[in-house]
């Protein structure tokens, strides 16, 4: 295995050619993937500095994905909690989540690089659906690796991927969830790097993925910053809250507010809380906080939300935590389902189980007094809950 070393980089900046966020990140991959990662970094830097690429992506995000997404006051929930809750509505983006932002960027980049196939991993299925959608739109073949357990609990999204023309490959090893799907996708990438681009779905993996995905997702934070400036007398909210698995929706949101006085809160699933309960290690090509046992083996994560069922966290989140710029908290499964019901019944919005972690923390923090009365709280609603109806029916 090879790894490139870089000294500390500042919070939410370009991590440099070696991809370090403080002591985290890097490029821990087999020698055979070093050229592929380097080629992606070179292509992304070139594309991100090309006004034509940026215009093409902005146009697709507008006419295909439906950006900008809405900025919705949660009036009834706010009245009940005594704080001003605002929702950044990524659930209204095409395909039902924030995942489309990153995937359209990577798919355009893959086509620019001359690739003909996209490989992807998925847990909740939303990244798989977004990748299948982008492949259909841009004429790229798509193969999605998905844990057998997640295939069972996300049958709707599996059907959607197949309808869009993607091949869905069950992963039967290990926990049969997101970690194992990611491992299999990376193994397969080694065999076809010349023709395929690995479209990684979160701010994890070897450099340049954590940085590149954050930059594709920062459209969330940039839009929300402008919307807050237009709607709030203070210009920025007191708190900015997002759920964290790998952490792409949170990283994209935080990027828009990291240079303000807003408090940044990342909400992890208690059973997958890498920042709260993990130790530093290496997984899937990057160094960050991981859930590990006493022998240093990666532990299985658990969450009622399949998109948070991952034993690590993106390296930039580890750096934000250590730098004291963001705070990471947890909620339990038994707090999440009631949060789904509460938002549905107060606002007519059915959030994804992943997003409901952020809502659950806001409810708990407001009711305990941790959130001061009348404070303003922006929550990124990363996805909608259609995919989770079967789980919610069983839980209810």
């Amino acid at each position: 295995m090879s790894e490139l070393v870089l000294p500390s980089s500042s919070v939410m900046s370009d991590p440099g050619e070696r991809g370090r966020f403080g002591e985290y990140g890097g490029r821990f991959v087999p020698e055979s993937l070093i050229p592929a990662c380097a080629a992606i970094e070179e292509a992304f830097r070139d594309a991100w500095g090309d006004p034509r690429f940026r215009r093409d992506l902005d146009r697709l995000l507008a006419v295909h994905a439906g950006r900008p997404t809405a900025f919705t006051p949660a009036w009834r929930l706010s009245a009940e909690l005594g704080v001003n809750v605002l929702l950044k509505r990524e659930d209204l983006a095409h395909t039902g989540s924030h995942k489309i932002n990153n995937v359209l960027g990577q798919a355009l980049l893959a086509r620019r690089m001359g690739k003909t196939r996209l490989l992807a991993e998925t847990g909740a299925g939303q990244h798989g659906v977004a990748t299948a959608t982008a492949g259909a739109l841009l004429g790229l073949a798509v193969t999605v690796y998905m844990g057998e357990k997640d295939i069972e609990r996300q049958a709707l999204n599996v059907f959607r991927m197949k309808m869009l023309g993607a091949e869905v490959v069950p992963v039967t090893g290990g926990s049969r969830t997101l970690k194992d799907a990611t491992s299999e996708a990376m193994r397969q990438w080694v065999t076809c790097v010349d023709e395929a681009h690995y479209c990684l779905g979160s701010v994890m993996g070897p450099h340049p993925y954590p940085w590149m995905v954050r930059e594709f997702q920062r459209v969330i934070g940039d839009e929300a910053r402008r919307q807050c400036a237009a709607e709030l007398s203070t210009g920025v909210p007191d708190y900015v809250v997002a759920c964290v698995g790998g952490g792409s929706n949170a990283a994209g949101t935080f990027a828009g507010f990291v240079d303000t006085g807003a408090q940044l809160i990342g909400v992890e699933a208690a059973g997958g809380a890498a920042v709260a309960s993990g130790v530093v290690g290496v997984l899937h090509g990057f160094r960050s906080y991981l859930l590990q046992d006493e022998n240093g083996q990666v532990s299985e994560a658990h969450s009622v939300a399949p998109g948070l069922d991952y034993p690590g966290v993106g390296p930039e989140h580890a750096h934000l935590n250590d730098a004291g710029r963001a705070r990471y908290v947890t909620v339990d499964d038994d707090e999440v389902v009631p949060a789904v019901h509460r938002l549905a019944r107060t606002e007519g919005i059915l959030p994804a189980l992943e997003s409901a972690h952020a809502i659950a923390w806001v409810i708990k923090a407001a009711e305990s007094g941790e959130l001061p009365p009348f404070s303003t709280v922006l929550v990124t609603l990363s996805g909608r809950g259609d995919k989770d109806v079967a789980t919610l029916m069983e839980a209810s």
Side-chain angles (χ1 to χ4, degrees):
M1 305 291 280
S2 296
E3 195 268 331
L4 299 170
V5 180
L6 182 77
S8 297
S9 56
S10 60
V11 175
M12 302 208 90
S13 64
D14 182 335
E17 64 180 12
R18 296 175 180 176
R20 283 286 186 157
F21 304 96
E23 65 176 288
Y24 307 105
R27 188 180 283 164
F28 295 78
V29 293
E31 291 288 347
S32 57
L33 285 180
I34 291 287
C37 290
I40 292 169
E41 180 187 1
E42 181 181 2
F44 175 68
R45 288 186 182 279
D46 181 67
W48 211 230
D50 182 349
R52 182 174 178 178
F53 179 88
R54 300 289 286 265
R55 285 195 300 268
D56 289 347
L57 177 57
D58 287 346
R59 177 164 174 76
L60 278 184
L61 289 172
V63 304
H64 190 71
R67 304 210 70 88
T69 56
F71 182 75
T72 303
W75 286 304
R76 293 187 62 211
L77 183 63
S78 297
E80 290 182 1
L81 298 179
V83 298
N84 183 21
V85 180
L86 305 164
L87 306 175
K88 181 56 176 162
R89 301 291 305 282
E90 295 303 293
D91 60 310
L92 296 180
H94 181 46
T95 72
S97 81
H98 69 293
K99 295 293 187 180
I100 194 68
N101 306 324
N102 165 51
V103 168
L104 285 175
Q106 287 200 54
L108 280 177
L109 185 67
R111 192 171 69 173
R112 182 183 174 105
M113 295 174 69
K115 306 297 184 181
T116 59
R117 294 178 57 203
L118 298 175
L119 307 180
E121 83 298 327
T122 197
Q126 290 299 96
H127 176 60
V129 170
T131 306
T133 299
L137 178 67
L138 299 178
L140 300 168
V142 174
T143 303
V144 179
Y145 296 89
M146 189 171 190
E148 193 174 50
K149 180 178 178 181
D150 290 333
I151 285 176
E152 294 170 1
R153 58 180 174 171
Q154 294 295 321
L156 173 62
N157 275 344
V158 174
F159 182 73
R160 292 172 72 193
M161 285 182 260
K162 292 179 178 179
M163 283 286 291
L164 289 159
E167 177 188 11
V168 181
V169 179
V171 178
T172 59
S175 63
R176 301 177 296 132
T177 56
L178 180 58
K179 173 177 71 71
D180 308 290
T182 304
S183 297
E184 185 61 25
M186 293 189 77
R187 278 193 291 268
Q188 293 301 319
W189 186 32
V190 173
T191 70
C192 57
V193 292
D194 291 338
E195 67 180 49
H197 172 73
Y198 179 25
C199 187
L200 207 160
S202 194
V203 286
M204 56 192 196
H207 179 65
Y209 283 102
W211 168 56
M212 178 173 68
V213 175
R214 180 249 284 169
E215 288 300 281
F216 284 140
Q217 290 292 4
R218 73 179 302 132
V219 66
I220 303 170
D222 289 345
E223 279 182 11
R225 177 79 174 269
R226 292 192 295 269
Q227 290 164 326
C228 286
E231 298 293 332
L232 301 178
S233 60
T234 55
V236 296
D238 299 307
Y239 297 84
V240 175
V241 185
C243 66
V244 174
S248 65
N249 90 93
T253 304
F254 292 173
F257 295 92
V258 71
D259 61 346
T260 73
Q263 296 190 45
L264 309 180
I265 308 291
V267 186
E268 299 184 285
V275 177
S277 305
V279 295
V280 177
V282 174
L283 179 66
H284 295 145
F286 68 103
R287 187 172 193 262
S288 188
Y289 288 118
L290 306 174
L291 298 180
Q292 299 177 63
D293 64 21
E294 62 276 8
N295 298 313
Q297 298 299 305
V298 176
S299 303
E300 302 295 349
H302 167 77
S303 174
V304 68
L308 305 187
D309 206 352
Y310 186 73
V313 68
E316 192 162 27
H317 286 296
H319 183 45
L320 288 169
N321 176 75
D322 287 7
R325 183 59 192 93
R327 181 161 65 98
Y328 294 83
V329 297
T330 65
V331 297
D332 296 321
D333 282 355
D334 60 6
E335 297 172 288
V336 172
V337 173
V340 173
H341 285 277
R342 190 155 181 186
L343 190 66
R345 293 175 182 179
T346 56
E347 305 301 328
I349 298 170
L350 182 64
L353 285 166
E354 291 78 14
S355 311
H357 282 70
I359 298 295
W361 180 81
V362 170
I363 292 170
K364 178 169 64 174
E367 292 181 340
S368 69
E370 183 176 353
L371 287 175
F374 311 113
S375 56
T376 302
V377 185
L378 173 69
V379 181
T380 296
L381 211 61
S382 60
R384 61 175 175 254
D386 308 41
K387 68 183 180 62
D388 298 317
V389 166
T391 301
L392 291 164
M393 289 173 64
E394 183 178 348
S396 299

